[in-house]
Coordinates of all heavy atoms in Angstrom, one line a residue:
M82 N 11.0 -21.7 -16.1 CA 10.2 -20.7 -16.9 C 9.3 -19.9 -16.0 O 8.9 -20.4 -15.0 CB 9.4 -21.5 -17.9 CG 8.4 -22.5 -17.3 SD 7.4 -23.4 -18.5 CE 6.2 -24.2 -17.5
I83 N 9.1 -18.6 -16.5 CA 8.4 -17.7 -15.6 C 6.9 -18.1 -15.5 O 6.2 -17.6 -14.5 CB 8.5 -16.3 -16.2 CG1 8.4 -15.2 -15.1 CG2 7.5 -16.0 -17.4 CD1 8.8 -13.9 -15.6
E84 N 6.4 -18.9 -16.3 CA 5.0 -19.4 -16.2 C 4.7 -20.1 -15.0 O 3.5 -20.3 -14.6 CB 4.6 -20.2 -17.5 CG 4.5 -19.5 -18.8 CD 5.8 -19.2 -19.5 OE1 6.9 -19.6 -18.9 OE2 5.8 -18.6 -20.6
Y85 N 5.8 -20.6 -14.3 CA 5.6 -21.3 -13.0 C 4.9 -20.4 -12.0 O 4.2 -20.8 -11.1 CB 6.9 -21.7 -12.4 CG 7.6 -22.9 -13.0 CD1 9.0 -22.9 -13.3 CD2 6.8 -24.0 -13.4 CE1 9.5 -24.0 -13.9 CE2 7.4 -25.1 -14.0 CZ 8.7 -25.1 -14.2 OH 9.3 -26.2 -14.8
V86 N 5.1 -19.1 -12.2 CA 4.5 -18.1 -11.2 C 3.0 -18.2 -11.2 O 2.4 -18.0 -10.1 CB 4.9 -16.6 -11.6 CG1 4.2 -15.6 -10.8 CG2 6.4 -16.5 -11.5
F87 N 2.3 -18.5 -12.3 CA 0.9 -18.6 -12.2 C 0.4 -20.1 -12.3 O -0.7 -20.4 -11.9 CB 0.1 -17.8 -13.3 CG 0.5 -18.1 -14.7 CD1 -0.1 -19.2 -15.4 CD2 1.4 -17.3 -15.4 CE1 0.2 -19.4 -16.7 CE2 1.7 -17.6 -16.7 CZ 1.2 -18.7 -17.4
F119 N 9.3 -17.5 -6.3 CA 9.3 -17.4 -7.8 C 9.3 -16.0 -8.3 O 9.9 -15.7 -9.3 CB 8.1 -18.2 -8.3 CG 8.2 -19.7 -8.3 CD1 7.1 -20.5 -8.3 CD2 9.4 -20.3 -8.2 CE1 7.2 -21.9 -8.3 CE2 9.6 -21.6 -8.2 CZ 8.5 -22.5 -8.2
M122 N 12.7 -14.6 -7.9 CA 13.5 -15.2 -9.0 C 13.3 -14.5 -10.3 O 14.2 -14.3 -11.1 CB 13.3 -16.7 -9.0 CG 13.8 -17.5 -7.8 SD 13.3 -19.2 -7.8 CE 14.2 -19.8 -9.2
S123 N 12.0 -14.2 -10.6 CA 11.7 -13.4 -11.8 C 12.3 -12.0 -11.8 O 12.8 -11.6 -12.9 CB 10.2 -13.3 -11.9 OG 9.5 -14.6 -11.9
W124 N 12.3 -11.4 -10.7 CA 13.0 -10.1 -10.6 C 14.4 -10.2 -10.8 O 15.1 -9.3 -11.4 CB 12.7 -9.5 -9.2 CG 11.4 -8.7 -9.2 CD1 10.2 -9.1 -9.3 CD2 11.4 -7.3 -9.0 NE1 9.3 -8.1 -9.2 CE2 10.0 -6.9 -9.0 CE3 12.3 -6.2 -8.8 CZ2 9.6 -5.6 -8.9 CZ3 11.9 -4.9 -8.7 CH2 10.5 -4.6 -8.8
A125 N 15.0 -11.3 -10.4 CA 16.5 -11.5 -10.6 C 16.9 -12.0 -11.9 O 18.0 -12.2 -12.2 CB 17.0 -12.5 -9.5
G126 N 15.8 -12.2 -12.8 CA 16.1 -12.7 -14.2 C 16.4 -14.2 -14.3 O 16.8 -14.7 -15.3
R127 N 16.1 -14.9 -13.2 CA 16.4 -16.3 -13.2 C 15.3 -17.1 -13.8 O 15.4 -18.3 -14.1 CB 16.7 -16.8 -11.8 CG 18.0 -16.2 -11.2 CD 18.2 -16.6 -9.8 NE 18.3 -18.0 -9.6 CZ 18.4 -18.6 -8.4 NH1 18.3 -17.8 -7.3 NH2 18.4 -19.9 -8.3
L128 N 14.1 -16.5 -14.0 CA 13.0 -17.1 -14.7 C 12.6 -16.4 -15.9 O 12.4 -15.1 -15.8 CB 11.8 -17.3 -13.8 CG 11.9 -18.1 -12.5 CD1 10.6 -18.1 -11.7 CD2 12.2 -19.6 -12.9
T129 N 12.6 -17.0 -17.0 CA 12.3 -16.3 -18.3 C 11.0 -16.9 -19.0 O 10.8 -18.1 -18.7 CB 13.4 -16.3 -19.3 OG1 13.9 -17.7 -19.5 CG2 14.6 -15.5 -18.7
P130 N 10.3 -16.2 -19.8 CA 9.1 -16.8 -20.4 C 9.5 -17.9 -21.4 O 10.4 -17.8 -22.2 CB 8.5 -15.5 -21.2 CG 9.2 -14.4 -20.6 CD 10.5 -14.8 -20.1
L131 N 8.6 -18.9 -21.4 CA 8.8 -20.0 -22.3 C 7.9 -19.7 -23.6 O 8.4 -19.9 -24.7 CB 8.3 -21.3 -21.7 CG 8.4 -22.6 -22.6 CD1 9.8 -22.9 -23.0 CD2 7.8 -23.8 -21.9
F132 N 6.8 -19.2 -23.4 CA 5.9 -18.8 -24.5 C 6.0 -17.3 -24.7 O 5.1 -16.5 -24.2 CB 4.4 -19.2 -24.2 CG 4.3 -20.7 -23.9 CD1 4.2 -21.2 -22.6 CD2 4.3 -21.6 -24.9 CE1 4.1 -22.6 -22.3 CE2 4.1 -23.0 -24.7 CZ 4.1 -23.5 -23.4
T133 N 7.0 -16.9 -25.5 CA 7.3 -15.5 -25.6 C 6.3 -14.7 -26.4 O 6.3 -13.5 -26.5 CB 8.7 -15.3 -26.3 OG1 8.7 -16.1 -27.5 CG2 9.8 -15.8 -25.3
F136 N 3.6 -14.2 -23.2 CA 4.1 -13.7 -21.9 C 5.4 -13.0 -21.9 O 6.2 -13.3 -22.8 CB 4.2 -14.9 -20.9 CG 2.9 -15.6 -20.7 CD1 2.7 -16.8 -21.3 CD2 1.8 -15.1 -20.0 CE1 1.5 -17.5 -21.2 CE2 0.6 -15.7 -19.9 CZ 0.5 -17.0 -20.5
S137 N 5.6 -12.0 -21.0 CA 6.9 -11.3 -20.9 C 7.0 -10.8 -19.5 O 6.1 -10.7 -18.7 CB 6.9 -10.1 -21.9 OG 6.1 -9.1 -21.4
A138 N 8.3 -10.4 -19.2 CA 8.6 -9.9 -17.8 C 8.8 -8.4 -18.0 O 9.9 -7.9 -17.8 CB 9.8 -10.6 -17.2
L143 N 6.2 -6.8 -13.6 CA 6.9 -7.3 -12.4 C 6.6 -6.6 -11.1 O 6.6 -7.1 -10.0 CB 8.4 -7.3 -12.7 CG 8.9 -8.3 -13.7 CD1 10.5 -8.1 -14.0 CD2 8.7 -9.7 -13.2
L191 N 1.9 -11.0 -16.2 CA 2.9 -11.5 -17.1 C 2.4 -11.5 -18.5 O 3.2 -11.8 -19.5 CB 3.4 -12.9 -16.7 CG 4.0 -13.0 -15.3 CD1 4.3 -14.5 -15.0 CD2 5.3 -12.2 -15.2

Side-chain angles (χ1 to χ4, degrees):
M82 61 180 188
I83 205 168
E84 287 82 357
Y85 285 140
V86 172
F87 59 82
F119 283 157
M122 290 170 67
S123 301
W124 269 68
R127 294 173 60 187
L128 295 179
T129 54
L131 179 63
F132 302 100
T133 52
F136 302 104
S137 72
L143 287 177
L191 298 175

